[in-house]
């Protein structure tokens, strides 16, 4: 049985989706964009600030599910400008202290609400 994960510490879903779903020993998050859950607005400061907010949003979702970044096995990064890859990576890598997860990074034409970056992840309860 699938279990929806929901926390007020991350932006609310603004459509027909859950922040994350726990299924079959894994946690699948929806993509997070750089919305501050306290204010409901985008963070200012460019791609590094947006990436930090995205990672903090993901942190809150996975913590609500009883996991942390050490349990993450796969991430997918959607980035508006591949020229920002190094800046995104600089922030991203600060959140992983053990084995780095598998990762894809995809350049896209646009993201929801004009975001510069969106990230989703898969985490495992098996390595908890």
């Amino acid at each position: 049985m699938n279990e929806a994960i929901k926390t007020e510490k991350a932006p609310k879903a603004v459509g027909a989706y859950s922040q994350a779903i726990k299924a079959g020993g894994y946690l699948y998050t929806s993509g997070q964009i750089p919305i501050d859950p306290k204010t409901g607005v985008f963070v200012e400061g460019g791609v590094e600030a947006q990436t930090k907010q995205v990672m903090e949003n993901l942190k809150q979702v996975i913590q609500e599910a009883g996991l942390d970044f050490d349990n993450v096995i796969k991430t997918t990064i959607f980035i508006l400008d591949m020229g920002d890859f190094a800046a995104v990576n600089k922030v991203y890598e600060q959140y992983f202290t053990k084995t780095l997860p598998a990762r894809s990074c995809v350049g896209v034409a646009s993201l929801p609400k004009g975001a510069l970056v969106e990230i989703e992840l898969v985490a495992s309860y098996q390595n908890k």
Side-chain angles (χ1 to χ4, degrees):
M1 180 140 215
N2 298 341
E3 176 186 347
I5 304 298
K6 180 180 178 184
T7 178
E8 297 297 321
K9 295 178 182 176
K12 295 177 182 174
V14 291
Y17 63 91
S18 297
Q19 290 171 324
I21 293 289
K22 180 180 175 180
Y26 295 94
L27 181 74
Y28 302 87
T29 71
S30 292
Q32 287 289 320
I33 57 176
I35 295 175
D36 181 333
K38 294 175 187 162
T39 64
V41 298
F42 267 52
V43 296
E44 296 183 19
V47 73
E48 285 187 31
Q50 285 196 14
T51 303
K52 180 172 176 46
Q53 186 64 57
V54 167
M55 295 302 291
E56 288 297 316
N57 291 346
L58 286 167
K59 179 180 177 180
Q60 294 304 319
V61 173
I62 62 177
Q63 283 182 342
E64 183 69 23
L67 300 173
D68 60 34
F69 283 110
D70 292 335
N71 302 106
V72 175
I73 58 173
K74 172 72 168 89
T75 64
T76 304
I77 300 172
F78 303 94
I79 189 170
L80 196 60
D81 181 352
M82 288 303 285
D84 288 335
F85 179 81
V88 169
N89 198 56
K90 179 181 170 185
V91 175
Y92 170 94
E93 68 186 1
Q94 296 172 15
Y95 288 83
F96 297 97
T97 58
K98 292 187 180 176
T99 304
L100 296 172
R103 178 177 77 181
S104 300
C105 184
V106 181
V108 297
S110 65
L111 289 167
K113 299 187 177 262
L116 301 175
V117 61
E118 179 176 358
I119 303 174
E120 65 183 24
L121 61 80
V122 178
S124 174
Y125 286 92
Q126 298 171 20
N127 62 348
K128 186 171 180 199

